[in-house]
Amino acid sequence: MELIPGLPDDIARECLIRANHRDFPTLASTCRAWRAEIRVPEFFLRRKAVGLSRNLIVMAQAQVQPGRDSGSTKYLVTPTYRLTVLEPESGRWSELSPGFGLSDGLPLFCQIVRVGSDLVVMGGWDPRTWTASTAVYVYNFVLAKWRRGTDMPGVPRSFFGCAASDSDRTVFVAGGHDDQKNALKSAMAYDVAKDEWQTAPDMARERDECKGVFHRGKFHVIGGYRTEMQGQFESSAEVFDASTWQWDQVHEDFLDATSCPRTCVSGEDGLLYMCRAGEVAALANGTWKVICNLPNEVHEIACVLTWQGKLLVIGSPRFGEPHTAYVVDTKRYTWTKMTVSDEYSSHVQSGCCLEL
């Protein structure tokens, strides 16, 4: 069966890759052949090769209460979080429709990660009961459909580190704390396609409030603290190699200072970036080096993300004030302020980047 009647399939594929990413669900519902075509990795590789792919930044962002005072951001007594989408090339902001089980809002402090064209939402606290959630939700951007994933196994955990491997279509989870606030060193992996969890070896140390980053083909768990050190972050990191299913030895002094690692992100240039003390630093050849200063308007940082040589920083001048967004080119170190409307100027608790 021809993809488009009367056209060779190679020409038809050239037509399909030029569709706007927002039209993918329509294409997928048109016929089975188109649905199959736009779901294979080669489709997105062809789009990227000819410069047609588009970046999406997805965030777990608080709703702003109507009627807020000018110059301040009011939240509901218990903040309600929704998924928002920023298209950085066009500056377009939108809101993603919630899936079944998320009508009351996203779990507080949930993690969101990208695996291919899937968005995975996991963990956090139930917004009604404030108990740790083990629920997993998966949204497919091609089909515009949600599904429930298999719940996270083991004890309910909060403030864990997680990151995804595109090659394995797997989300890795490690650390955090249980419902008694005992720091954890256990780890596991979620295969998004198979909807299956697999237990991984324990880390060498407990790590509450650690940061998970997939960097140079390995899962890095950075910083965190042990149960008895409540809030006193350490500078070490542990690295998991999925190919051997083993952890490397603990990397002492991975960070050059003991601080919260939540702003650590991995760039496509092979560097790790981190925002701290009004500066942006990069890790290269085992040494952290300051590359530029942060704009004063994002002194209180909420979220940091990277894509294609750019670093996005969302924050506010002071705690509780409206958030804004700046993008820095990591080669020229020049900042550009993004336009953020009042509707999207609220707190961001986590985020990730997709390329469609």
Side-chain angles (χ1 to χ4, degrees):
M1 177 181 176
E2 295 174 326
L3 286 172
I4 299 178
L7 287 179
D9 280 354
D10 58 343
I11 301 299
R13 290 188 177 97
E14 288 297 314
C15 295
L16 291 176
I17 66 172
R18 282 163 171 76
N20 188 295
H21 68 274
R22 291 191 289 273
D23 294 328
F24 287 170
T26 302
L27 296 181
S29 63
T30 300
C31 65
R32 291 181 179 178
W34 286 13
R35 181 189 179 101
E37 182 66 27
I38 66 176
R39 295 191 72 183
V40 297
E42 290 77 15
F43 174 79
F44 296 100
L45 291 175
R46 285 195 294 270
R47 279 176 61 89
K48 185 173 183 176
V50 295
L52 294 171
S53 61
R54 292 294 178 265
N55 296 288
L56 304 180
I57 295 172
V58 186
M59 295 164 282
Q61 186 171 33
Q63 292 181 348
V64 177
Q65 185 177 14
R68 74 180 187 187
D69 296 331
S70 176
S72 66
T73 301
K74 287 185 179 179
Y75 304 105
L76 305 175
V77 174
T78 299
T80 300
Y81 282 84
R82 65 313 178 27
L83 287 169
T84 58
V85 181
L86 166 63
E87 300 175 29
E89 286 89 357
S90 66
R92 182 180 186 269
W93 293 76
S94 59
E95 187 170 336
L96 195 63
S97 298
F100 177 76
L102 295 174
S103 57
D104 291 328
L106 297 173
L108 302 173
F109 315 114
C110 66
Q111 299 276 7
I112 60 175
V113 292
R114 170 196 63 90
V115 179
S117 58
D118 287 329
L119 176 75
V120 182
V121 180
M122 60 172 57
W125 295 354
D126 186 299
R128 295 166 299 176
T129 65
W130 284 50
T131 57
S133 171
T134 60
V136 175
Y137 303 90
V138 182
Y139 179 80
N140 184 272
F141 272 87
V142 173
L143 304 180
K145 289 185 177 180
W146 285 95
R147 66 175 172 86
R148 269 298 303 269
T150 300
D151 284 1
M152 299 173 65
V155 299
R157 68 178 70 211
S158 305
F159 297 96
F160 51 85
C162 74
S165 164
D166 256 353
S167 59
D168 299 325
R169 290 188 56 78
T170 300
V171 181
F172 294 90
V173 171
H177 68 249
D178 63 17
D179 55 6
Q180 300 298 314
K181 294 192 176 181
N182 295 307
L184 301 171
K185 60 181 179 180
S186 56
M188 51 191 173
Y190 175 60
D191 187 311
V192 178
K194 295 179 181 179
D195 190 27
E196 293 178 353
W197 285 94
Q198 183 177 1
T199 301
D202 286 354
M203 295 183 291
R205 297 178 186 172
E206 302 169 344
R207 295 185 183 273
D208 194 5
E209 293 194 53
C210 52
K211 179 62 182 286
V213 176
F214 210 83
H215 179 63
R216 295 189 173 184
K218 295 182 180 181
F219 177 45
H220 289 59
V221 183
I222 304 170
Y225 50 85
R226 287 164 285 179
T227 303
E228 66 273 14
M229 300 300 291
Q230 287 295 317
Q232 299 181 43
F233 290 91
E234 58 180 83
S235 59
S236 67
E238 299 188 48
V239 180
F240 184 71
D241 187 341
S243 65
T244 62
W245 212 247
Q246 291 182 341
W247 293 95
D248 296 344
Q249 290 185 342
V250 175
H251 295 248
E252 302 290 356
D253 299 320
F254 185 85
L255 302 175
D256 60 2
T258 55
S259 61
C260 177
R262 65 185 178 85
T263 64
C264 285
V265 290
S266 178
E268 293 181 5
D269 54 8
L271 303 181
L272 274 178
Y273 293 91
M274 184 177 184
C275 297
R276 64 201 183 169
E279 300 172 330
V280 179
L283 177 64
N285 300 319
T287 302
W288 287 95
K289 179 182 178 182
V290 175
I291 60 172
C292 61
N293 292 322
L294 283 166
N296 291 331
E297 287 185 86
V298 289
H299 178 75
E300 291 288 339
I301 299 172
C303 185
V304 180
L305 298 167
T306 60
W307 82 98
Q308 294 181 350
K310 294 180 174 60
L311 185 80
L312 170 71
V313 179
I314 296 177
S316 60
R318 286 170 292 278
F319 180 79
E321 294 191 353
H323 286 54
T324 190
Y326 277 83
V327 176
V328 65
D329 185 307
T330 55
K331 294 181 180 178
R332 293 188 291 269
Y333 310 138
T334 54
W335 289 97
T336 301
K337 184 177 181 179
M338 302 195 72
T339 300
V340 180
S341 65
D342 286 351
E343 183 182 1
Y344 299 103
S345 64
S346 51
H347 181 259
V348 175
Q349 64 180 11
S350 59
C352 64
C353 298
L354 296 90
E355 186 174 7
L356 297 177

